[in-house]
Amino acid sequence: QVQLVESGGGLVQAGDSLRLSCAASGRTFSSYAMGWFRQAPGKEREFVAAISWRGAVTTYADSVKGRFTISRDNAKNTVYLQMNSLKPEDTAVYYCAAETSTRALVKLTEYDYWGQGTQVTVSS
C-alpha cells in the first residue's frame, strides 16, 4: 500500500507557472505507475497526465499537452507536475494517484491510491 501527499498548489495569475509535488510513502514507489488528475467545481474528475513506473513513458490530456510536464524521481519517492502557461480553466483541485503497473495509466478507475488533493487557482 502507498500513501500520497500532494503539495505546491496556490493562487497564480494567467501565464504563470507552478510545480506540484506528490510524495509517496513506502519502499516500492518505483513499482507504481503515477498519474495526475484534476477536478473543477461542479465537474467530474479528469485525467491530466501519467507516467510509467520507470518514467520512460508519459502521456497527457490534450488540454495540457505542451504546457504541463510530468516527471518522477524514484530515489525521492516523488512525482512532479510542472505546469507552465497556466490558464483560468486550469483552476481545480489536483490529485495524485498511484497503481501497481508498469504502464502509464489514463483512466481514473485504473488507480487504487489517491492523495488528498491540492488547490490550484488561476486568476485572469
Side-chain angles (χ1 to χ4, degrees):
Q1 192 167 352
V2 63
Q3 293 183 330
L4 306 171
V5 179
E6 301 97 333
S7 62
L11 172 62
V12 297
Q13 293 187 333
D16 286 351
S17 298
L18 274 178
R19 189 177 79 156
L20 304 183
S21 299
C22 173
S25 65
R27 295 176 294 175
T28 59
F29 177 72
S30 61
S31 64
Y32 286 89
M34 302 297 297
W36 286 97
F37 291 76
R38 67 186 182 186
Q39 187 166 17
K43 295 188 176 181
E44 294 186 350
R45 194 171 299 188
E46 65 176 7
F47 169 74
V48 175
I51 188 167
S52 60
W53 66 330
R54 300 291 174 87
V57 178
T58 57
T59 186
Y60 299 91
D62 288 343
S63 59
V64 307
K65 202 171 294 183
R67 299 188 298 122
F68 290 11
T69 302
I70 188 172
S71 61
R72 66 189 297 161
D73 185 337
N74 286 347
K76 295 183 178 180
N77 283 14
T78 302
V79 63
Y80 304 97
L81 185 68
Q82 178 67 43
M83 305 186 294
N84 298 330
S85 302
L86 282 161
K87 304 175 181 179
E89 51 263 43
D90 295 318
T91 295
V93 178
Y94 283 71
Y95 296 91
C96 173
E99 181 56 47
T100 50
S101 174
T102 61
R103 301 181 293 114
L105 306 174
V106 303
K107 295 181 181 179
L108 185 150
T109 54
E110 292 179 305
Y111 289 91
D112 282 335
Y113 304 103
W114 293 84
Q116 82 290 348
T118 185
Q119 176 70 47
V120 172
T121 302
V122 185
S123 64
S124 57

